[in-house]
Amino acid sequence: AQKVTQAQTEISVVEKEDVTLDCVYETRDTTYYLFWYKQPPSGELVFLIRRNSFDEQNEISGRYSWNFQKSTSSFNFTITASQVVDSAVYFCALSEADAGGTSYGKLTFGQGTILTVHP
Amino acid sequence: EPEVTQTPSHQVTQMGQEVILRCVPISNHLYFYWYRQILGQKVEFLVSFYNNEISEKSEIFDDQFSVERPDGSNFTLKIRSTKLEDSAMYFCASNDAGKAYEQYFGPGTRLTVT
């Protein structure tokens, strides 16, 4: 069975600080996808990034970066120079896939990390 | 850009009443999902639907829940006899064939059962 753990329930930082949100996953499949979503106070789920299990390259997008380490089953998310607008709940999620890389569709989410950025 | 829409944005209902949550997936998508998020908790998978039948459902999706694609555009979630614990945000999602890794989420319907 698949499982996603986000051990940090809440993180509070001051603007311009860097912050890393941790995500650890469990799966029996060798092929899977990992995701990060942002949920602002308005409630919608905003897609941030998707990685497949074959691609361990780290990714940077502006102030956001992701560190995928299969050896430790982790997919951590770092926000550099945080801003008040980054305040939200952040969810890590996992989708298992078959050997051909076709996702089964069901997303399993972690508990989420509440990030508060103070001015 | 095409998007998934959900109506209503907020529904208040009394315990024991039936409620239908509506979703309009992206037009060429073939796979549909419902997820639930109880306030302050994680998002949980309820059900996936393809080719007019359920492809997978979670333990949460018991006999009081049902899904339907009544026409070519809507995808609905029905809760037959609502309970207080059904109060949650319900998200609909859809994806194109072969792209289950690329689900598009709707904005959610907040259901409040009183």
Side-chain angles (χ1 to χ4, degrees):
Chain A
Q2 53 194 41
K3 184 179 176 183
V4 177
T5 302
Q6 295 179 252
Q8 303 150 309
T9 307
E10 290 192 54
I11 299 177
S12 182
V13 298
V14 177
E15 217 172 11
K16 296 184 185 172
E17 280 186 36
D18 298 348
V19 57
T20 295
L21 310 181
D22 297 334
C23 173
V24 173
Y25 61 91
E26 293 176 34
T27 175
R28 288 176 295 195
D29 282 6
T30 55
T31 311
Y32 49 89
Y33 292 86
L34 295 163
F35 307 80
W36 276 95
Y37 287 86
K38 175 181 179 179
Q39 188 174 44
S42 49
E44 74 273 23
L45 289 169
V46 178
F47 168 80
L48 295 177
I49 190 172
R50 174 184 68 243
R51 306 298 287 176
N52 73 50
S53 51
F54 294 128
D55 184 0
E56 283 193 77
Q57 274 195 329
N58 293 328
E59 180 153 341
I60 298 174
S61 175
R63 296 183 298 107
Y64 295 170
S65 62
W66 291 269
N67 185 310
F68 178 24
Q69 301 247 351
K70 281 179 82 169
S71 60
T72 55
S73 298
S74 65
F75 186 44
N76 297 337
F77 172 32
T78 298
I79 302 174
T80 304
S82 58
Q83 300 176 1
V84 172
V85 294
D86 295 327
S87 296
V89 184
Y90 290 85
F91 290 98
C92 181
L94 167 73
S95 172
E96 291 176 330
D98 64 23
T102 299
S103 168
Y104 295 130
K106 177 179 90 173
L107 287 173
T108 296
F109 286 80
Q111 292 285 355
T113 297
I114 302 170
L115 174 64
T116 305
V117 182
H118 299 281
Chain B
E1 185 176 322
E3 58 183 20
V4 177
T5 59
Q6 291 184 242
T7 54
S9 55
H10 190 191
Q11 171 109 33
V12 182
T13 190
Q14 286 193 329
M15 196 167 53
Q17 296 293 307
E18 175 182 286
V19 66
I20 297 175
L21 309 183
R22 291 186 163 76
C23 168
V24 179
I26 293 172
S27 62
N28 61 325
H29 285 185
L30 301 176
Y31 294 78
F32 315 110
Y33 310 83
W34 283 102
Y35 292 85
R36 179 184 83 174
Q37 183 185 28
I38 294 171
L39 186 64
Q41 297 188 24
K42 66 179 177 181
V43 179
E44 299 172 290
F45 169 80
L46 288 179
V47 66
S48 56
F49 189 86
Y50 168 70
N51 200 24
N52 279 321
E53 59 184 33
I54 291 173
S55 30
E56 186 176 358
K57 61 183 181 179
S58 71
E59 292 174 356
I60 302 167
F61 194 88
D62 60 23
D63 290 344
Q64 71 157 346
F65 290 95
S66 62
V67 290
E68 196 179 29
R69 189 150 161 84
D71 52 43
S73 58
N74 288 284
F75 178 51
T76 61
L77 174 68
K78 183 194 290 186
I79 308 175
R80 262 180 269 285
S81 177
T82 50
K83 305 173 193 158
L84 293 177
E85 54 264 38
D86 293 326
S87 295
M89 180 78 96
Y90 290 82
F91 291 102
C92 173
S94 70
N95 64 259
D96 200 355
K99 291 189 176 181
Y101 53 79
E102 195 171 87
Q103 288 179 32
Y104 289 78
F105 279 85
T109 292
R110 180 161 297 287
L111 175 66
T112 302
V113 182
T114 61

